[in-house]
Amino acid sequence: MAPNSIHWFRKGLRLHDNPSLREAVRGAGTVRCVYFLDPWFAGSSNLGVNRWRFLLQCLEDLDANLRKLNSRLFVIRGQPANVFPRLFKEWKISRLTFEYDSEPFGKERDAAIKKLAMEAGVEVIVKISHTLYDLDKIIELNGGQPPLTYKRFQTLISRLDPPELPVETLSDALMGRCVTPISEDHGDKYGVPSLEELGFDTEGLPSAVWPGGETEALTRIERHLERKAWVANFERPRMNANSLLASPTGLSPYLRFGCLSCRLFYFKLTDLYRKVKKNSSPPLSLYGQLLWREFFYTAATTNPRFDKMEGNPICVRIPWDKNPEALAKWAEAKTGFPWIDAIMTQLRQEGWIHHLARHAVACFLTRGDLWISWEEGMKVFEELLLDADWSVNAGSWMWLSCSSFFQQFFHCYCPVGFGRRTDPNGDFIRRYLPVLRGFPAKFIYDPWNAPESVQAAAKCIIGVHYPKPMVHHAEASRLNIERMKQIYQQLSRYRGLGESRTQRTCDATHLLLQDNLLCSTHKHTLTLHTECLSNISPLCYKRSVVKSTLLLCGEVLKMIERVLKKS
Amino acid sequence: MSLNAQHTCYSFSVMQENRPNHSDFVQSSFILCRMKRGLQGNEEEDGGGTSAGPQKGLKQSRKRRTEEECEEEEGGVRWECLPQEILLHIFQYLPLLDRAYASQVCRGWNHAFHMPELWRCFEFELNQPASSYLKATHPDLIKQIIKRHSNHLQYVSFKVDSSTESAEAACDILSQLVNCSLKTLGLISTARPSFMELPKSHFISALTVVFVNSKSLSSLKIDDTPVDDPSLKVLVANNSDTLKLLKMSSCPHVSPAGILCVADQCHGLRELALNYHLLSDELLISLSSEKHVHLEHLRIDVVSENPGQHFHTIKKSSWDAMVRHSPKFNLVMYFFLYEDEFGPFFRDEIPVTHLYFGRSVSKDVLGRVGLTCPRLVELVVCANGLRPLDEELIRIAQRCTQLAAIGLGECEVSCSAFVEFVKMCGDRLTQLSIMEEVLVPDHRYGLDDIHWEVSKHLGRVWFPDMMPTW
């Protein structure tokens, strides 16, 4: 008898290049595509309305595309672990397929479901298609540890075979004799819910700037490539005022939800490059956007505490300030810095901001000005940012707050100057902060410096209609650069290990002035490049001090252990 | 091993609670264990605390241990008789908590735990749960240190979070350090300058306790504190012979006269950090007087309080005197200014060695840097306008023959000019930290080939710094 399959959609919300879906229909008698939604979870989760809307649109689109194949999407209300056993029985299922999820919690969830399925005698087929590569292979190639610098990651990638080609889009031909049994009341039981049904108030909700779904994604990728072909320039586009706005060629949310296959994108880029550049082989930088994503997925896949500072072996412990009021001002676009507030407004309204804008607000919240933990910023992005994926979101925040990955921290984005250089006229600010519309370009980035007459003419008095700046940026960045140096210098003390070092910390020159402005992180990076030590976080130095101590007095410690055991 | 230790320590602490007359030294290691236990949550507490088993076993083992004291163990080594010096040496490598665990093993080790050598250096971490994610030094441990070890303390720092309570707690400890002789004192605000929020008199009286009682203070780091001129006078009166390092950036209550008094009296001062408004010709002259030792470091923060602020100038002759007196001294300058405030700077030659521009700096000023900073070793430019810095960089490469490190953030340089710059500096560039966006591709080099070209001239593999495209 031909097997009855369930394909379980989580990410990978698409019919093109979906290898596990392809397996679901292969030789099967029936196939049912399910998506689990917990209506109770929806209301209480910390995902914002834009993210929910995007998801629901993806599901609508998926359902519409499945209808064309005489199938439907089954949106199941409930938790997979609770519902699957019933479905297996009710639908006489013998095969379950889903896309591989590399994130630690996803892996845990999937392992539990696999166990359930095995107990029910259901065959489970899992395929990798959310990332370009098998991340475990990258880790294996790196000696069992995820690479901690992007350079190292690139080196490893260049030693791997190119990603596998996309598989064929699900079609009538591929469906073959496989059918989807659909009941009369399918819509009531399994239909895609509306935002209202999930408990969101949609009154006055502006239409989506980023419409969700595979169909939209495929239109966008064509436009994206057309534009690239037209400029015939594959280098990173220089930043300008226009790049700050949502673009109809933007792809990141579609990659996040898997409406667009990263492999499809990869190979389309390759083809186009070869066509335009007359068959020269494309450089790694062509795939920058895809590889960064891959880098963070790799770094996170074996680290369940990747989104935390405490207990996260790759994250430097920085004495961040707890300050809920300041955090709220940042999240609600009330910092008094128009550049920051405009970006945060765009994020809340539209669900997407340019990556340099992300750098600007992340730097402002953490090491640049407010000295607030990156974890707090990450949570706000998780709520608001359409393309925020657990790994990529946490990884980028650690990166931008200089908590990991050995990057430089001498440079903080200025909340006034950075925007001004990008968009001298301030159109971006006027668009998202209409209250400042009347200010001339000269003062739009620092309206608190405008004379009273200018504020009056702009019909916006700073401190009344728009907040005063919440920090003195020059002073804050001076303080914070010092803080960062302190932390990294302390870490670097552990680098030398050896006796003399340890004792030197007890010397009278304990508070020696350091004259190295570029700081010690850079030295870590160099060590990494030259020695190819792939996974020594600054924190590990501390640990390796303990370790070397253990070696040094290993005998003694064994003794302690023995005594302790006896007692 | 650690799990084992936790359980055992716990049972020790249970024992301690049952004993009426436990000694101090057991007490303090007990505090540490209790702290650790607090971190571990309740599970272990239930596991170890309620059962009588471990206690009993422990008593037995103690008994056995005394019987067997100094007898040969199976391994043939008599651990209890390990000489104190060796034990001390080993203990120096262990973090405090591990030392506390080890101190539970036997009397000898417990004694070693309290050896003065191990308490010379201590870092008080003062954090409040409401304002910090990090744990604080346990109050009971602080009490123990003050009671038992304050006379051993020599190198002390306080790490204080953003709350006023923490700063207050630091002052309370400071004012109890009466019978100690500190060599190093660091007051470090880890988040915001919380010492500034204290009543000035409260802070000053605590700080002067240390100044008056510790007669051989050599390093003092009191950035972002309300220290004032009279308290510096107390410092000078008590520690003028020993003071070598003074770090006091952003101390608004100190006047140029106050710091001049320090420079006049403390002839051993070798390292000094302060804000530009305290820098005067008189100060430089004083630091370069014959009686004064050679200065090693002078760090100046130039911070703008409000836009358009006017800054005084320092005479070239004063800097010249300084260089004559201390030819090797490092002059480290951090600028956090608006572009239009640079007027008085880099007009005359200045012996700056390390230069950091924290905010946007104009092309014009960077051009002047090339002309006026012949001793420049390290240069960091965080931001600049949108015009490429090509000629400025090349001039700096030509004129600043000591330049060994450069960092560029939001600036633009054409790839060709950058390659030229690297070629001119060659392998003396030990650090070259350039954000990828800085390099503008031109007809000669694209982004993909520039790192080869630069690596070639540097003689080692080099890449620009990257930020994630997200």
Side-chain angles (χ1 to χ4, degrees):
Chain A
M1 206 182 93
N4 297 319
S5 301
I6 289 181
H7 177 72
W8 178 18
F9 276 113
R10 298 93 60 91
K11 290 172 192 170
L13 301 176
R14 59 170 185 265
L15 300 188
H16 73 273
D17 185 30
N18 195 335
S20 51
L21 176 61
R22 173 79 190 78
E23 288 307 312
V25 299
R26 192 189 295 276
T30 65
V31 66
R32 290 177 178 88
C33 295
V34 303
Y35 188 92
F36 284 93
L37 250 187
D38 196 328
W40 179 81
F41 177 73
S44 66
S45 80
N46 48 5
L47 299 192
V49 65
N50 276 325
R51 288 196 68 174
W52 276 106
R53 175 164 61 183
F54 192 90
L55 172 66
L56 296 183
Q57 286 172 343
C58 290
L59 299 180
E60 295 275 9
D61 187 60
L62 207 51
D63 189 37
N65 289 335
L66 283 167
R67 274 177 206 239
K68 290 176 197 157
L69 303 171
N70 295 316
S71 179
R72 289 294 296 267
L73 178 70
F74 293 67
V75 178
I76 314 261
R77 277 77 172 162
Q79 295 282 352
N82 301 337
V83 183
F84 263 131
R86 181 169 59 78
L87 295 184
F88 290 156
K89 250 188 227 156
E90 203 177 301
W91 294 341
K92 300 190 174 56
I93 295 304
S94 51
R95 185 190 292 166
L96 171 67
T97 64
F98 52 83
E99 179 182 60
Y100 178 71
D101 185 344
S102 70
E103 297 186 333
F105 296 107
K107 287 201 283 192
E108 208 175 293
R109 176 201 56 209
D110 292 351
I113 298 296
K114 260 190 196 168
K115 198 164 159 262
L116 271 180
M118 266 174 30
E119 282 162 9
V122 175
E123 175 199 16
V124 178
I125 302 177
V126 184
K127 294 277 176 189
I128 295 172
S129 50
H130 191 65
T131 52
L132 292 170
Y133 300 92
D134 179 347
L135 306 180
D136 292 336
K137 278 206 181 124
I138 300 176
I139 292 174
E140 194 190 309
L141 193 63
N142 196 41
Q145 296 288 345
L148 276 188
T149 64
Y150 185 61
K151 268 291 147 239
R152 176 79 189 141
F153 175 78
Q154 285 181 316
T155 312
L156 294 168
I157 290 297
S158 61
R159 282 158 55 187
L160 287 173
D161 294 331
E164 280 176 41
L165 286 168
V167 303
E168 216 177 320
T169 305
L170 192 67
S171 60
D172 282 326
L174 280 183
M175 289 285 279
R177 293 197 187 155
C178 180
V179 294
T180 303
I182 300 164
S183 63
E184 290 283 308
D185 57 351
H186 183 94
D188 293 339
K189 263 170 102 177
Y190 301 119
V192 178
S194 65
L195 278 173
E196 290 82 359
E197 281 170 70
L198 293 179
F200 286 99
D201 182 12
T202 53
E203 215 182 280
L205 187 71
S207 65
V209 177
W210 298 83
E214 181 184 10
T215 312
E216 172 74 17
L218 293 173
T219 321
R220 278 173 178 255
I221 191 173
E222 291 312 322
R223 272 202 298 254
H224 184 96
L225 295 166
E226 266 167 39
R227 205 171 74 161
K228 268 213 155 70
W230 188 70
V231 287
N233 174 8
F234 293 93
E235 262 145 18
R236 189 175 15 78
R238 307 295 297 177
M239 178 87 176
N240 61 38
N242 249 339
S243 18
L244 291 170
L245 303 179
S247 149
T249 62
L251 299 174
S252 61
Y254 303 91
L255 288 165
R256 152 68 179 82
F257 284 89
C259 306
L260 176 65
S261 151
C262 57
R263 298 191 295 200
L264 181 75
F265 186 26
Y266 182 96
F267 283 103
K268 289 215 171 211
L269 274 176
T270 313
D271 291 347
L272 181 68
Y273 188 91
R274 292 228 166 95
K275 213 161 87 192
V276 174
K277 297 266 172 174
K278 308 281 177 271
N279 287 326
S280 64
S281 73
L284 270 184
S285 62
L286 178 66
Y287 312 108
Q289 192 185 354
L290 288 173
L291 292 184
W292 275 108
R293 179 177 169 272
E294 205 85 355
F295 172 67
F296 288 124
Y297 282 127
T298 314
T301 181
T302 54
N303 183 355
R305 300 203 50 96
F306 194 68
D307 62 339
K308 308 263 189 313
M309 176 171 82
E310 286 297 336
N312 179 351
I314 68 157
C315 182
V316 177
R317 290 172 84 239
I318 294 175
W320 302 115
D321 196 14
K322 264 191 204 167
N323 188 341
E325 296 89 46
L327 174 66
K329 282 185 185 170
W330 175 80
E332 289 158 20
K334 288 177 184 152
T335 65
F337 288 93
W339 168 239
I340 301 297
D341 291 343
I343 296 171
M344 292 306 286
T345 306
Q346 183 190 27
L347 174 62
R348 194 168 286 274
Q349 283 175 5
E350 301 178 6
W352 179 90
I353 49 179
H354 188 269
H355 73 261
L356 287 179
R358 298 172 196 208
H359 298 179
V361 294
C363 186
F364 184 84
L365 181 75
T366 58
R367 66 195 172 89
D369 291 89
L370 302 185
W371 200 254
I372 287 176
S373 169
W374 60 270
E375 289 179 55
E376 305 294 344
M378 177 192 71
K379 287 178 203 155
V380 172
F381 272 27
E382 190 174 276
E383 177 196 343
L384 302 176
L385 188 66
L386 290 175
D387 59 42
D389 220 350
W390 186 79
S391 311
V392 183
N393 192 23
S396 305
W397 272 97
M398 270 191 276
W399 185 291
L400 297 173
S401 64
C402 289
S403 296
S404 195
F405 307 117
F406 311 100
Q407 77 289 18
Q408 278 298 338
F409 56 80
F410 69 80
H411 158 239
C412 288
Y413 292 99
C414 173
V416 174
F418 181 33
R420 187 173 274 156
R421 270 186 296 281
T422 311
D423 174 22
N425 204 25
D427 295 336
F428 176 71
I429 289 174
R430 290 196 188 86
R431 181 183 174 120
Y432 291 100
L433 301 175
V435 63
L436 297 173
R437 218 168 253 170
F439 275 96
K442 183 171 185 232
F443 291 112
I444 195 145
Y445 286 93
D446 53 348
W448 62 90
N449 285 332
E452 269 175 51
S453 58
V454 174
Q455 298 187 22
K459 295 197 181 65
C460 176
I461 305 302
I462 300 307
V464 180
H465 306 111
Y466 180 75
K468 287 183 177 160
M470 65 186 291
V471 286
H472 186 293
H473 171 70
E475 185 56 23
S477 53
R478 182 195 68 80
L479 281 168
N480 294 344
I481 288 269
E482 276 307 291
R483 312 276 111 97
M484 272 292 168
K485 278 183 64 170
Q486 254 164 39
I487 291 150
Y488 278 89
Q489 274 159 6
Q490 262 181 356
L491 291 170
S492 69
R493 255 199 248 150
Y494 292 104
R495 275 183 306 133
L497 303 182
E499 283 164 70
S500 55
R501 281 278 173 143
T502 319
Q503 275 166 0
R504 200 179 304 155
T505 59
C506 296
D507 273 359
T509 47
H510 189 40
L511 291 176
L512 193 82
L513 280 181
Q514 303 276 345
D515 53 9
N516 180 2
L517 311 173
L518 289 164
C519 294
S520 36
T521 36
H522 195 76
K523 284 174 195 152
H524 292 306
T525 321
L526 287 178
T527 322
L528 282 169
H529 285 327
T530 50
E531 297 171 23
C532 290
L533 291 174
S534 46
N535 190 29
I536 296 187
S537 81
L539 261 200
C540 289
Y541 290 115
K542 196 165 181 178
R543 247 190 240 138
S544 55
V545 171
V546 179
K547 257 189 212 158
S548 66
T549 317
L550 284 170
L551 286 176
L552 182 93
C553 50
E555 279 303 305
V556 180
L557 286 171
K558 268 185 216 152
M559 168 66 192
I560 299 176
E561 204 169 0
R562 232 183 303 157
V563 172
L564 291 176
K565 264 186 202 149
K566 274 184 193 165
S567 57
Chain B
M1 143 94 208
S2 73
L3 198 74
N4 234 326
Q6 274 154 25
H7 276 287
T8 318
C9 284
Y10 182 74
S11 10
F12 262 108
S13 62
V14 171
M15 263 177 65
Q16 297 304 334
E17 273 154 20
N18 297 340
R19 280 183 179 186
N21 52 350
H22 51 262
S23 62
D24 272 355
F25 57 83
V26 180
Q27 171 73 10
S28 51
S29 34
F30 151 56
I31 290 164
L32 280 164
C33 296
R34 212 171 58 188
M35 283 160 51
K36 182 67 180 179
R37 207 180 62 213
L39 295 175
Q40 298 297 321
N42 294 330
E43 275 172 58
E44 277 170 40
E45 208 161 339
D46 295 342
T50 46
S51 86
Q55 285 184 50
K56 203 177 151 199
L58 222 133
K59 275 179 192 159
Q60 279 175 350
S61 98
R62 278 221 154 171
K63 202 175 152 207
R64 196 173 64 229
R65 294 199 57 70
T66 29
E67 280 164 9
E68 286 175 1
E69 201 146 28
C70 288
E71 273 174 31
E72 300 241 324
E73 296 231 350
E74 319 91 77
V77 192
R78 289 157 26 174
W79 292 100
E80 303 86 327
C81 302
L82 204 64
Q84 288 274 311
E85 309 80 67
I86 294 185
L87 203 53
L88 176 67
H89 191 73
I90 293 168
F91 268 36
Q92 275 176 342
Y93 287 91
L94 293 174
L96 184 55
L97 198 69
D98 289 351
R99 291 207 304 263
Y101 289 146
S103 77
Q104 308 281 337
V105 171
C106 63
R107 266 175 202 284
W109 288 18
N110 208 314
H111 183 69
F113 178 80
H114 289 284
M115 283 195 286
E117 289 85 346
L118 295 172
W119 296 95
R120 285 192 182 143
C121 186
F122 196 82
E123 192 171 81
F124 292 93
E125 293 185 61
L126 302 168
N127 302 314
Q128 309 297 321
S131 46
S132 173
Y133 298 88
L134 304 183
K135 290 273 180 223
T137 309
H138 197 282
D140 291 351
L141 176 62
I142 295 175
K143 267 187 215 151
Q144 280 294 313
I145 290 175
I146 291 173
K147 196 167 158 199
R148 249 186 95 88
H149 295 294
S150 67
N151 55 331
H152 306 145
L153 292 173
Q154 293 184 348
Y155 313 108
V156 174
S157 52
F158 291 84
K159 286 191 162 176
V160 171
D161 72 0
S162 62
S163 73
T164 319
E165 290 99 301
S166 301
E168 236 153 44
C171 287
D172 286 344
I173 299 171
L174 278 177
S175 50
Q176 292 178 67
L177 298 181
V178 281
N179 58 351
C180 62
S181 184
L182 298 190
K183 291 185 175 161
T184 288
L185 173 65
L187 302 183
I188 300 166
S189 313
T190 57
R192 276 180 292 164
S194 44
F195 286 106
M196 289 305 294
E197 281 154 40
L198 294 179
K200 195 176 118 193
S201 57
H202 181 51
F203 175 80
I204 298 293
S205 65
L207 188 65
T208 43
V209 166
V210 176
F211 290 172
V212 171
N213 290 289
S214 299
K215 301 283 186 194
S216 52
L217 205 53
S218 120
S219 302
L220 183 63
K221 175 178 156 65
I222 43 171
D223 300 319
D224 301 297
T225 60
V227 64
D228 60 2
D229 289 359
S231 51
L232 287 181
K233 280 210 173 104
V234 179
L235 171 72
V236 168
N238 290 281
N239 298 279
S240 61
D241 293 341
T242 51
L243 192 69
K244 290 179 183 152
L245 176 147
L246 178 60
K247 204 167 175 313
M248 39 171 279
S249 297
S250 292
C251 295
H253 301 297
V254 175
S255 75
I259 189 66
L260 188 60
C261 162
V262 176
D264 280 340
Q265 306 292 319
C266 303
H267 296 139
L269 196 64
R270 295 189 309 213
E271 306 184 51
L272 179 62
L274 38 81
N275 280 49
Y276 188 75
H277 74 90
L278 295 184
L279 186 70
S280 60
D281 292 306
E282 293 78 11
L283 181 70
L284 292 177
I285 301 296
S286 168
L287 289 171
S288 37
S289 80
E290 269 176 43
K291 284 176 290 181
H292 211 285
V293 300
H294 298 310
L295 197 70
E296 289 172 11
H297 287 267
L298 177 59
R299 165 166 170 178
I300 310 288
D301 285 5
V302 194
V303 186
S304 157
E305 308 294 328
N306 36 55
Q309 193 176 334
H310 186 72
F311 289 89
H312 63 282
T313 50
I314 297 291
K315 290 192 193 107
K316 182 171 181 295
S317 59
S318 313
W319 285 125
D320 288 347
M322 197 67 237
V323 177
R324 267 196 308 277
H325 180 71
S326 309
K328 287 185 183 156
F329 92 110
N330 283 329
L331 175 58
V332 184
M333 295 185 85
Y334 279 67
F335 282 88
F336 295 94
L337 295 185
Y338 291 93
E339 277 194 26
D340 54 359
E341 292 166 332
F342 278 97
F345 299 100
F346 307 106
R347 292 292 173 193
D348 285 319
E349 203 167 278
I350 177 169
V352 63
T353 52
H354 297 72
L355 194 48
Y356 179 97
F357 293 106
R359 305 185 68 170
S360 188
V361 57
S362 70
K363 222 170 127 70
D364 174 46
V365 171
L366 285 171
R368 280 168 13 215
V369 165
L371 296 173
T372 55
C373 308
R375 296 174 84 231
L376 195 63
V377 176
E378 201 169 321
L379 172 67
V380 176
V381 181
C382 291
N384 165 256
L386 283 176
R387 289 155 64 208
L389 292 176
D390 295 8
E391 310 90 65
E392 289 74 13
L393 270 192
I394 288 176
R395 182 190 285 168
I396 286 169
Q398 270 166 353
R399 305 271 193 126
C400 308
T401 52
Q402 315 289 312
L403 190 76
I406 188 161
L408 300 177
E410 292 160 51
C411 318
E412 292 199 347
V413 184
S414 76
C415 284
S416 304
F418 184 68
V419 168
E420 185 61 25
F421 168 82
V422 175
K423 206 158 133 189
M424 290 169 76
C425 296
D427 58 7
R428 75 181 146 97
L429 282 180
T430 53
Q431 289 195 52
L432 184 59
S433 182
I434 312 293
M435 299 299 289
E436 194 189 25
E437 288 84 6
V438 168
L439 301 169
V440 184
D442 54 21
H443 61 285
R444 292 189 59 192
Y445 304 103
L447 282 179
D448 285 315
D449 37 35
I450 188 153
H451 81 266
W452 288 116
E453 197 58 29
V454 172
S455 302
K456 202 171 77 192
H457 296 301
L458 282 180
R460 58 184 154 83
V461 181
W462 178 86
F463 288 100
D465 291 346
M466 276 188 279
M467 290 297 258
T469 326
W470 171 23

